[in-house]
Amino acid sequence: MPGRDLAQTRPAERADLRASALEVAPTLLGAVLITSLADGEVALRVTEVEAYHGLGTGAVPDPGSHARMGPTARNATMWGEPGHLYVYLSHGIHSCVNVVCGPAGVAGGVLLRAGEVIAGSDIARRRRTLRGVVRADRDLARGPGRLGDAVGLRHVLHDGIDAIEGVPLGGATARLLLPAAPPASVVSGPRVGVAGVAGGHEYPWRFWIEGDPTVSAFRWGRGAGPTAV
């Protein structure tokens, strides 16, 4: 299985990621992220993503983005070269992984929401069980916090790690491989759990592989969706 998945990929180049996050996001479905840390290597096939734009990126502002107000110490990686990984802390607990997109100075990121662990599942499971119960293999990286745990990348230690050249950072390396062909069925819709208009139908910036069991469950964010006032 891992050999088959890797044979159908190629190493990502910065040029592949220089378009806006909204354009790049669906092209990352089926991509493989490989991380290597002291406790071993994990390979993950991406099955669900969300696009986020920074201030001045794209035709409409993105109120759901960490970079919506411009550069800060927290979001600095989003304004850098494409192909680095923006690793941020969610709810003070979960390290979430984004692929930086767009030319340097133009912020954008694609959140890796979910994936299938295709190699190193024993390592991913060990990492995950340190932080909670794992009921099934499909849950190893089902959701952005679980995904961050499974691949072993942590805020703030690995924020900015380069997934193109594989330069070590914080005792880890990361490599991004792109699929040779897109998945058979890609669908899009509102982002998961994002509050307000940014999580509504106005921003169908979530993309996933239809029918894949590792895709996370959808929920409306506060003030978003059909029941929003």
Side-chain angles (χ1 to χ4, degrees):
M1 170 94 95
R4 183 200 69 191
D5 286 297
L6 295 180
Q8 297 173 357
T9 63
R10 63 172 178 82
E13 301 177 1
R14 297 207 196 280
D16 296 315
L17 307 170
R18 285 207 174 98
S20 72
L22 187 55
E23 295 173 276
V24 171
T27 73
L28 295 183
L29 294 173
V32 175
L33 178 66
I34 303 173
T35 57
S36 181
L37 288 85
D39 63 343
E41 184 173 278
V42 168
L44 175 139
R45 181 180 66 92
V46 178
T47 60
E48 180 186 13
V49 296
E50 287 176 352
Y52 290 88
H53 285 176
L55 180 66
T57 303
V60 297
D62 182 1
S65 172
H66 290 173
R68 63 187 179 275
M69 303 298 288
T72 66
R74 180 195 191 194
N75 67 35
T77 299
M78 289 184 73
W79 298 85
E81 279 189 315
H84 291 261
L85 302 182
Y86 170 48
V87 183
Y88 72 87
L89 198 63
S90 174
H91 303 294
I93 303 172
H94 305 294
S95 291
C96 300
V97 181
N98 302 254
V99 177
V100 174
C101 302
V106 178
V110 176
L111 173 64
L112 304 184
R113 273 208 60 87
E116 175 195 8
V117 176
I118 59 173
S121 58
D122 55 334
I123 298 165
R125 181 177 288 272
R126 185 164 62 246
R127 291 170 180 168
R128 286 276 294 108
T129 52
L130 290 174
R131 299 170 64 84
V133 176
V134 180
R135 293 182 173 83
D137 283 348
R138 78 168 195 166
D139 294 325
L140 285 173
R142 191 172 181 239
R146 293 173 178 177
L147 186 150
D149 287 342
V151 300
L153 298 181
R154 311 304 302 165
H155 172 83
V156 60
L157 185 62
H158 302 123
D159 181 31
I161 193 168
D162 189 351
I164 302 298
E165 296 185 2
V167 178
L169 179 68
T173 60
R175 291 178 290 150
L176 181 66
L177 309 177
L178 296 183
S185 181
V186 172
V187 287
S188 65
R191 298 183 286 205
V192 177
V194 176
V197 66
H201 290 294
E202 298 88 345
Y203 289 85
W205 291 9
R206 171 183 173 236
F207 302 87
W208 66 97
I209 299 175
E210 188 174 26
D212 194 290
T214 66
V215 171
S216 57
F218 179 76
R219 61 180 176 83
W220 293 109
R222 177 174 44 83
T227 61
V229 178

PDB file of all heavy atoms in Angstrom, residues 169-183:
ATOM      1  N   LEU A 169      14.531  20.955  11.105  1.00  0.00           N
ATOM      2  CA  LEU A 169      14.162  22.012  12.046  1.00  0.00           C
ATOM      3  C   LEU A 169      13.589  21.363  13.295  1.00  0.00           C
ATOM      4  O   LEU A 169      12.684  20.526  13.204  1.00  0.00           O
ATOM      5  CB  LEU A 169      13.122  22.960  11.433  1.00  0.00           C
ATOM      6  CG  LEU A 169      12.636  24.097  12.347  1.00  0.00           C
ATOM      7  CD1 LEU A 169      13.763  25.089  12.613  1.00  0.00           C
ATOM      8  CD2 LEU A 169      11.447  24.818  11.730  1.00  0.00           C
ATOM      9  N   GLY A 170      14.134  21.727  14.437  1.00  0.00           N
ATOM     10  CA  GLY A 170      13.626  21.196  15.690  1.00  0.00           C
ATOM     11  C   GLY A 170      13.695  19.685  15.780  1.00  0.00           C
ATOM     12  O   GLY A 170      12.820  19.060  16.392  1.00  0.00           O
ATOM     13  N   GLY A 171      14.709  19.085  15.162  1.00  0.00           N
ATOM     14  CA  GLY A 171      14.855  17.637  15.207  1.00  0.00           C
ATOM     15  C   GLY A 171      13.931  16.881  14.269  1.00  0.00           C
ATOM     16  O   GLY A 171      13.746  15.671  14.414  1.00  0.00           O
ATOM     17  N   ALA A 172      13.344  17.589  13.300  1.00  0.00           N
ATOM     18  CA  ALA A 172      12.412  16.944  12.365  1.00  0.00           C
ATOM     19  C   ALA A 172      12.737  17.343  10.933  1.00  0.00           C
ATOM     20  O   ALA A 172      13.342  18.396  10.681  1.00  0.00           O
ATOM     21  CB  ALA A 172      10.978  17.346  12.686  1.00  0.00           C
ATOM     22  N   THR A 173      12.328  16.508   9.990  1.00  0.00           N
ATOM     23  CA  THR A 173      12.313  16.882   8.574  1.00  0.00           C
ATOM     24  C   THR A 173      10.921  16.596   8.029  1.00  0.00           C
ATOM     25  O   THR A 173      10.191  15.743   8.556  1.00  0.00           O
ATOM     26  CB  THR A 173      13.345  16.103   7.735  1.00  0.00           C
ATOM     27  OG1 THR A 173      13.062  14.700   7.818  1.00  0.00           O
ATOM     28  CG2 THR A 173      14.759  16.385   8.212  1.00  0.00           C
ATOM     29  N   ALA A 174      10.552  17.327   6.981  1.00  0.00           N
ATOM     30  CA  ALA A 174       9.251  17.131   6.333  1.00  0.00           C
ATOM     31  C   ALA A 174       9.439  17.187   4.829  1.00  0.00           C
ATOM     32  O   ALA A 174      10.233  17.993   4.323  1.00  0.00           O
ATOM     33  CB  ALA A 174       8.266  18.196   6.790  1.00  0.00           C
ATOM     34  N   ARG A 175       8.708  16.353   4.116  1.00  0.00           N
ATOM     35  CA  ARG A 175       8.733  16.359   2.649  1.00  0.00           C
ATOM     36  C   ARG A 175       7.291  16.252   2.138  1.00  0.00           C
ATOM     37  O   ARG A 175       6.503  15.458   2.652  1.00  0.00           O
ATOM     38  CB  ARG A 175       9.550  15.189   2.098  1.00  0.00           C
ATOM     39  CG  ARG A 175      11.060  15.283   2.353  1.00  0.00           C
ATOM     40  CD  ARG A 175      11.776  14.061   1.821  1.00  0.00           C
ATOM     41  NE  ARG A 175      11.453  12.884   2.620  1.00  0.00           N
ATOM     42  CZ  ARG A 175      11.414  11.639   2.139  1.00  0.00           C
ATOM     43  NH1 ARG A 175      11.607  11.407   0.847  1.00  0.00           N
ATOM     44  NH2 ARG A 175      11.137  10.623   2.933  1.00  0.00           N
ATOM     45  N   LEU A 176       6.990  17.048   1.132  1.00  0.00           N
ATOM     46  CA  LEU A 176       5.662  17.030   0.524  1.00  0.00           C
ATOM     47  C   LEU A 176       5.754  16.455  -0.879  1.00  0.00           C
ATOM     48  O   LEU A 176       6.545  16.922  -1.703  1.00  0.00           O
ATOM     49  CB  LEU A 176       5.089  18.447   0.475  1.00  0.00           C
ATOM     50  CG  LEU A 176       3.684  18.587  -0.127  1.00  0.00           C
ATOM     51  CD1 LEU A 176       2.651  17.889   0.755  1.00  0.00           C
ATOM     52  CD2 LEU A 176       3.329  20.073  -0.294  1.00  0.00           C
ATOM     53  N   LEU A 177       4.952  15.441  -1.157  1.00  0.00           N
ATOM     54  CA  LEU A 177       4.882  14.814  -2.476  1.00  0.00           C
ATOM     55  C   LEU A 177       3.492  15.067  -3.044  1.00  0.00           C
ATOM     56  O   LEU A 177       2.490  14.878  -2.352  1.00  0.00           O
ATOM     57  CB  LEU A 177       5.128  13.308  -2.368  1.00  0.00           C
ATOM     58  CG  LEU A 177       6.375  12.855  -1.598  1.00  0.00           C
ATOM     59  CD1 LEU A 177       6.431  11.342  -1.524  1.00  0.00           C
ATOM     60  CD2 LEU A 177       7.636  13.412  -2.233  1.00  0.00           C
ATOM     61  N   LEU A 178       3.433  15.471  -4.302  1.00  0.00           N
ATOM     62  CA  LEU A 178       2.155  15.767  -4.946  1.00  0.00           C
ATOM     63  C   LEU A 178       1.678  14.583  -5.781  1.00  0.00           C
ATOM     64  O   LEU A 178       2.490  13.851  -6.351  1.00  0.00           O
ATOM     65  CB  LEU A 178       2.287  16.997  -5.836  1.00  0.00           C
ATOM     66  CG  LEU A 178       2.622  18.311  -5.128  1.00  0.00           C
ATOM     67  CD1 LEU A 178       2.655  19.452  -6.127  1.00  0.00           C
ATOM     68  CD2 LEU A 178       1.640  18.595  -4.003  1.00  0.00           C
ATOM     69  N   PRO A 179       0.363  14.403  -5.893  1.00  0.00           N
ATOM     70  CA  PRO A 179      -0.154  13.274  -6.669  1.00  0.00           C
ATOM     71  C   PRO A 179       0.072  13.478  -8.162  1.00  0.00           C
ATOM     72  O   PRO A 179      -0.021  14.596  -8.676  1.00  0.00           O
ATOM     73  CB  PRO A 179      -1.649  13.275  -6.334  1.00  0.00           C
ATOM     74  CG  PRO A 179      -1.952  14.695  -5.977  1.00  0.00           C
ATOM     75  CD  PRO A 179      -0.715  15.215  -5.294  1.00  0.00           C
ATOM     76  N   ALA A 180       0.339  12.386  -8.850  1.00  0.00           N
ATOM     77  CA  ALA A 180       0.523  12.464 -10.300  1.00  0.00           C
ATOM     78  C   ALA A 180      -0.793  12.772 -11.000  1.00  0.00           C
ATOM     79  O   ALA A 180      -0.809  13.361 -12.083  1.00  0.00           O
ATOM     80  CB  ALA A 180       1.105  11.147 -10.809  1.00  0.00           C
ATOM     81  N   ALA A 181      -1.897  12.388 -10.381  1.00  0.00           N
ATOM     82  CA  ALA A 181      -3.221  12.654 -10.953  1.00  0.00           C
ATOM     83  C   ALA A 181      -4.162  12.994  -9.805  1.00  0.00           C
ATOM     84  O   ALA A 181      -3.993  12.496  -8.686  1.00  0.00           O
ATOM     85  CB  ALA A 181      -3.735  11.429 -11.712  1.00  0.00           C
ATOM     86  N   PRO A 182      -5.164  13.841 -10.064  1.00  0.00           N
ATOM     87  CA  PRO A 182      -6.101  14.211  -8.991  1.00  0.00           C
ATOM     88  C   PRO A 182      -6.986  13.036  -8.606  1.00  0.00           C
ATOM     89  O   PRO A 182      -7.206  12.111  -9.390  1.00  0.00           O
ATOM     90  CB  PRO A 182      -6.918  15.343  -9.624  1.00  0.00           C
ATOM     91  CG  PRO A 182      -6.850  15.092 -11.094  1.00  0.00           C
ATOM     92  CD  PRO A 182      -5.488  14.508 -11.339  1.00  0.00           C
ATOM     93  N   PRO A 183      -7.543  13.053  -7.382  1.00  0.00           N
ATOM     94  CA  PRO A 183      -8.500  12.010  -6.987  1.00  0.00           C
ATOM     95  C   PRO A 183      -9.708  12.010  -7.916  1.00  0.00           C
ATOM     96  O   PRO A 183     -10.030  13.014  -8.555  1.00  0.00           O
ATOM     97  CB  PRO A 183      -8.899  12.422  -5.568  1.00  0.00           C
ATOM     98  CG  PRO A 183      -7.796  13.319  -5.097  1.00  0.00           C
ATOM     99  CD  PRO A 183      -7.284  14.025  -6.302  1.00  0.00           C
TER     100      PRO A 183
END
